[in-house]
Amino acid sequence: VNEGLAVVFTEIYTGNVNDVNSYPKEAENWVKEILDLPLDVSYSDWVMGEHPDGRTYIGYRTGNFLVRKAITKSGKNILELSELMPDEIIKLAGY
């Protein structure tokens, strides 16, 4: 969620969209997959770099999807979301 806040904030305020942070069609499944992970998984595999299955930057890309969904569903802007805890943003996104 925090990585997603950073990505969305940057894209909104600079207008620069970095393809590496864009989310795929299956991002909804990625959210569910991440929410089911144990707390001790490899941060580098799931958030930055390449996952052993070949996916890249899963945390940033999924966070982007999740934050944009929370913005759409709640009507809050990125600054308002930034004041919330990650679990609140996840709930606003519908998870």
Side-chain angles (χ1 to χ4, degrees):
V1 173
N2 291 329
E3 288 81 2
L5 288 168
V7 168
V8 174
F9 180 89
T10 301
E11 290 182 354
I12 289 172
Y13 283 95
T14 69
N16 294 324
V17 176
N18 191 338
D19 287 341
V20 73
N21 293 324
S22 63
Y23 51 87
K25 294 176 188 172
E26 55 273 346
E28 179 93 32
N29 294 332
W30 289 13
V31 171
K32 294 172 186 172
E33 184 179 10
I34 290 170
L35 291 174
D36 287 339
L37 289 172
L39 294 176
D40 62 349
V41 298
S42 169
Y43 181 85
S44 63
D45 286 351
W46 284 94
V47 177
M48 50 191 226
E50 187 172 339
H51 188 274
D53 68 11
R55 293 179 287 175
T56 57
Y57 305 102
I58 297 169
Y60 290 95
R61 297 167 76 192
T62 306
N64 183 357
F65 171 80
L66 188 68
V67 168
R68 290 188 183 277
K69 191 167 183 180
I71 288 170
T72 300
K73 291 185 80 139
S74 72
K76 294 184 182 295
N77 65 40
I78 190 64
L79 295 178
E80 292 169 317
L81 286 185
S82 297
E83 295 175 355
L84 303 176
M85 297 300 293
D87 61 329
E88 295 173 283
I89 296 169
I90 291 167
K91 287 178 186 172
L92 287 174
Y95 300 96

